Amino acid sequence: MTGTHAPTLLVGNCSGFYGDRMSAMREMLEGALEDGRTLDVLTGDYLAELTMLILGKDTMRDASLGYARTHLRQLEDCLGLALERGTRIVSNAGGLNPAGLAERVREVAKGLGLDVAVAHVEGDDLRARAADLGLDGALTANAYLGGFGIARALTAGADVVVTGRVTDASLVVGPAVAHFGWSADQHDELAGAVVAGHVLECGTQATGGNFSGFRSLAAAGVDLSVPLGFPVAEIEADGSSTITKQAGTGGAVTVDTVTAQLVYEIQSTRYLGPDVTTHLDTVRLEQVGPDRVRVSDVVGEAPPERLKVCVNELGGWRNSIELVLTGLDIEAKADWVREQLAPRLTAQEVTWTRPTPPAADADTEEGASVLLRCTVTDPEQGPVAKAFTGPAVELALGSYPGFTMTGPPGAPTPYGVYRAAYVDRSAVEHVVVLPDGTREVVPDPTAYAEADHTLGLRPSPYPAPADTLNRRLPLGTFVHARSGDKGGDANLGLWVSHDGPPDKYAARVTWLAKIISPRKVRELLPETAALPDDAIEVHVLPNLGAVNVVIKGLLGRGVAASTRFDPQAKGLGEWARSRSVHIQEGLLT
């Protein structure tokens, strides 16, 4: 990969998280596009904020671990095939121990009788310097690195590259830099690769997975019983790309499925990375063929001067019970059991869910029942162990009628707390270890810029025509959604479906941007009511027909510590789509 290869670079993905489909690596290596082309590079994303916590706990038990062991099993099965196909493999499966994983890959290759050039990228792990950097108490502390270390490994001839905590998109940026020979100041090209990487990073979410328009795919003839194919990006020298999938695989690639991934877990219209700041409001999508969406016109600028750090700390212990409430007087039953338990609970934090009465005259017992969940957390194990479960069990014959639990109370489990920190680049030494063992420091960018996150914020009042006669219908009548988490913040992307009448699309986009204000979000999602006045931001992405809503603090201290019903906000978008809004008659079919 020196910039003298084919005009496009074919990059695929075989993992969107630690636990994704084990067979995906082989499927992607054996597969091909409709024209017969096979992959130049196969990437795998195994890391998330929660995954870093899991790997941190692994290293507490065994310092030689800390990497995604499933990736090693995939390589045991597929290394020979990758070499035969000439496909390079790039992953962040190294986690907290990329050097250890690289050595294990060499051992596997030797055992298979294969000559495999393995490189790794390190320098992201700041645990040894946590105290000096003001990161006291960190179980894990990893700076997000960029793609230039990966690029150097590939130009040095690596067949397999494993990294620690690079940004998810860097797994695609690095191969593109190596293939096209981009420099650090080619910001538009780098930003284009970031967008392609962001679309690929969550695997089948780009081909119909977790897609609110799944019924429209089925109506179009997509067989949803077939496992979804993983996405592929055909990247061009100017950073533009075409998102597609291999022939014969399940799912679909449409403007809407790609948009669904583009608005996933973003913040403002400025997407910050260690190599480039990407202007998400410049991205243009076009359906150029079946299962082919072109991504173009992406603008980038210099990256921020400081690096983001993923910090996980041990927060304490948690436990929960689920009580079943059946039939009449649901609220009164819930009130009684809460009154009975409350005086006996000593945990620092006690959270109860709010049961909603079931449908009247239900024809099954399950249909007549609801769940009441109590979750407790505490810095110490004692208050969430027998001190919590004992009093609950003792009520079995002395509380509301029909008292039962979904199962016996479990043992306490430890939980972690995620937080983002920022450090000067001088505190991080980005190092690539080449296949021959040579260590090289990857230079920092030569220019930086401070992103303006107010650009793209929804103005108030929104400049749009006055409402006319309207009907009350679900928001999801012609609006798709994708939601997720960024630490304690929830992200909710909403956009207008491309399946509707073309002559109504522009007006629908204007309507969406007008109706989704911070105030309206609080109406749609009453659970946000207690958040501070400035907790909700709405960013407009007109090229995508979308708005992105950031709800700060909704998830508390992050997924591992959250006591919410949906701690990663995965279903938040579907809840929002189900809520009723006033839609103008002229926007409906």
Side-chain angles (χ1 to χ4, degrees):
M1 287 193 171
T2 61
T4 60
H5 291 60
T8 60
L9 178 70
L10 215 58
V11 182
N13 172 279
C14 69
S15 176
F17 69 102
Y18 190 10
D20 212 338
R21 199 159 81 217
M22 281 291 291
S23 61
M25 181 178 287
R26 174 164 288 276
E27 292 168 13
M28 294 298 286
L29 290 171
E30 290 180 338
L33 298 190
E34 291 286 353
D35 60 9
R37 284 184 297 165
T38 56
L39 297 176
D40 297 309
V41 179
L42 180 59
T43 65
D45 177 17
Y46 295 82
L47 302 184
E49 294 154 359
L50 179 60
T51 311
M52 300 305 290
L53 176 65
I54 293 169
L55 296 178
K57 292 178 180 178
D58 281 351
T59 61
M60 293 175 68
R61 293 189 295 270
D62 184 344
S64 69
L65 297 178
Y67 54 81
R69 286 172 278 179
T70 54
H71 182 61
L72 189 64
R73 294 203 296 272
Q74 289 173 310
L75 291 177
E76 289 175 333
D77 176 54
C78 296
L79 264 178
L81 179 58
L83 290 177
E84 178 184 324
R85 291 295 181 104
T87 301
R88 314 282 190 94
I89 296 177
V90 179
S91 80
N92 59 15
L96 295 174
N97 189 8
L101 178 57
E103 185 56 34
R104 291 296 311 278
V105 174
R106 294 186 189 97
E107 293 172 3
V108 166
K110 183 178 180 181
L112 295 171
L114 300 174
D115 183 14
V116 179
V118 183
H120 74 273
V121 176
E122 62 186 29
D124 59 296
D125 192 345
L126 304 180
R127 286 177 295 177
R129 303 183 53 206
D132 296 337
L133 297 173
L135 307 175
D136 297 328
L139 172 63
T140 68
N142 295 78
Y144 287 85
L145 303 180
F148 279 84
I150 295 170
R152 178 68 187 101
L154 292 171
T155 58
D159 301 307
V160 176
V161 183
V162 295
T163 77
R165 179 70 279 191
V166 298
T167 67
D168 301 342
S170 293
L171 300 173
V172 173
V173 173
V177 169
H179 187 81
F180 298 112
W182 296 334
S183 62
D185 61 358
Q186 289 182 261
H187 296 134
D188 290 350
E189 290 87 342
L190 292 170
V194 165
V195 172
H198 182 49
V199 174
L200 262 60
E201 69 187 49
C202 288
T204 56
Q205 280 197 168
T207 60
N210 297 344
F211 175 46
S212 59
F214 71 100
R215 294 180 65 193
S216 65
L217 297 184
V222 176
D223 185 354
L224 296 181
S225 69
V226 176
L228 301 182
F230 280 71
V232 175
E234 301 174 13
I235 303 175
E236 302 169 24
D238 67 352
S240 299
S241 63
T242 299
I243 307 301
T244 185
K245 66 185 186 70
Q246 293 178 327
T249 58
V253 178
T254 70
V255 169
D256 283 327
T257 66
V258 172
T259 300
Q261 179 56 29
L262 275 179
V263 299
Y264 181 60
E265 294 184 345
I266 61 173
Q267 302 282 293
S268 71
T269 61
R270 298 300 183 259
Y271 193 60
L272 305 185
D275 297 322
V276 66
T277 296
T278 302
H279 294 199
L280 293 175
D281 51 355
T282 64
V283 179
R284 293 193 178 276
L285 304 180
E286 180 185 3
Q287 193 85 41
V288 294
D291 294 320
R292 293 182 63 81
V293 173
R294 181 166 169 74
V295 183
S296 63
D297 295 350
V298 185
V299 173
E301 65 176 319
E305 191 165 4
R306 308 189 83 202
L307 291 177
K308 184 178 178 180
V309 180
C310 170
V311 179
N312 278 296
E313 302 164 338
L314 292 177
W317 297 82
R318 66 186 297 161
N319 206 345
S320 64
I321 56 170
E322 279 190 333
L323 303 168
V324 181
L325 311 176
T326 303
L328 304 176
D329 307 319
I330 293 294
E331 292 183 1
K333 291 171 181 175
D335 288 342
W336 187 15
V337 74
R338 279 194 296 259
E339 290 168 0
Q340 288 177 302
L341 269 180
R344 301 192 59 186
L345 301 184
T346 60
Q348 185 178 84
E349 181 181 15
V350 179
T351 304
W352 292 88
T353 57
R354 293 170 53 192
T356 300
D361 196 24
D363 58 6
T364 66
E365 183 178 344
E366 185 173 358
S369 302
V370 298
L371 298 180
L372 174 66
R373 182 183 301 106
C374 180
T375 302
V376 292
T377 64
D378 197 90
E380 302 298 327
Q381 186 174 2
V384 303
K386 284 290 186 181
F388 167 59
T389 60
V393 171
E394 290 169 6
L395 290 176
L397 302 181
S399 188
Y400 65 87
F403 182 105
T404 188
M405 298 184 184
T406 55
T413 56
Y415 71 88
V417 177
Y418 162 82
R419 64 183 173 92
Y422 297 87
V423 298
D424 294 334
R425 288 182 185 252
S426 60
V428 179
E429 188 174 65
H430 184 175
V431 174
V432 56
V433 182
L434 302 179
D436 65 1
T438 302
R439 299 176 61 86
E440 293 185 7
V441 176
V442 179
D444 290 329
T446 56
Y448 305 103
E450 191 68 33
D452 184 353
H453 291 287
T454 65
L455 295 174
L457 271 176
R458 178 191 178 280
S460 183
Y462 193 81
D467 291 342
T468 57
L469 184 66
N470 58 56
R471 294 171 57 190
R472 194 158 179 82
L473 294 167
L475 176 64
T477 299
F478 53 74
V479 174
H480 288 313
R482 171 65 63 76
S483 57
D485 63 315
K486 277 292 183 183
D489 300 342
N491 151 246
L492 170 62
L494 301 166
W495 74 99
V496 172
S497 166
H498 288 78
D499 294 333
D503 61 328
K504 297 183 186 296
Y505 178 78
R508 287 178 171 184
V509 170
T510 299
W511 171 85
L512 178 65
K514 178 183 179 182
I515 194 173
I516 300 300
S517 65
R519 179 178 176 180
K520 190 64 177 180
V521 171
R522 292 182 187 275
E523 291 180 19
L524 290 172
L525 308 175
E527 292 176 2
T528 65
L531 296 176
D533 292 342
D534 60 352
I536 299 175
E537 295 178 355
V538 179
H539 300 269
V540 183
L541 298 164
N543 286 0
L544 300 178
V547 296
N548 186 60
V549 181
V550 181
I551 307 174
K552 299 179 180 179
L554 180 67
L555 308 180
R557 292 181 291 171
V559 54
S562 179
T563 57
R564 280 183 55 82
F565 166 71
D566 178 17
Q568 289 184 282
K570 296 293 188 180
L572 188 69
E574 291 305 292
W575 179 29
R577 291 182 69 243
S578 73
R579 299 284 285 166
S580 294
V581 296
H582 290 283
I583 301 178
Q584 298 168 47
E585 287 275 8
L587 299 179
L588 302 172
T589 54

